[in-house]
Each structure stands twice: as structure tokens, then as C-alpha cells.
Amino acid sequence: MRVFTVLTVIMTIAAVIFRWRYRIMNTLLAISFLRRAAVMISMNMPAIREKIMPTLFQRQTVK
């Protein structure tokens, strides 16, 4: 019975976090230290860096 209770609590917490994930993320990223840490960590991941960096510095042509 104890295992069932623990699994139910874990599933409930996961469902709440999934439902409010964007609100939680915006609240956490409003803290400047956490925002800077998130950017530093994501820029150390080659896959993310290779996708983001070219789009940040590309020139747009005027037609």
C-alpha cells in the first residue's frame, strides 16, 4: 500500500509540473542568476549552439 501511495504522489506531481510547465519556467527564468545559468548551460551543448548561433548573427537582405 505504501508503494501505491508513493507512486500516486509522484504521478500527481509529474502531472502538475507538466500542466504548469511554462508558468514554472517563466517564474524560474525571471530570476537573473537562474536565467544566466540556463543560457550558459545551453550554450555549452553543441547541438543547441549550432542551431541558435547562425540565426542570431545572420544578415537579412532587404528586398
Side-chain angles (χ1 to χ4, degrees), residues 36-49:
R36 270 188 255 132
V39 169
M40 285 183 356
I41 290 169
S42 64
M43 286 297 117
N44 284 330
M45 296 179 185
I48 294 174
R49 187 176 57 238

Side-chain angles (χ1 to χ4, degrees), residues 10-45:
I10 290 172
M11 295 282 281
T12 304
I13 290 171
V16 167
I17 289 174
F18 182 77
R19 183 173 180 177
W20 293 337
R21 64 191 180 272
Y22 297 116
R23 185 179 298 173
I24 293 169
M25 187 171 29
N26 285 336
T27 303
L28 291 175
L29 292 178
I31 302 168
S32 63
F33 171 75
L34 293 177
R35 185 174 52 245
R36 270 188 255 132
V39 169
M40 285 183 356
I41 290 169
S42 64
M43 286 297 117
N44 284 330
M45 296 179 185

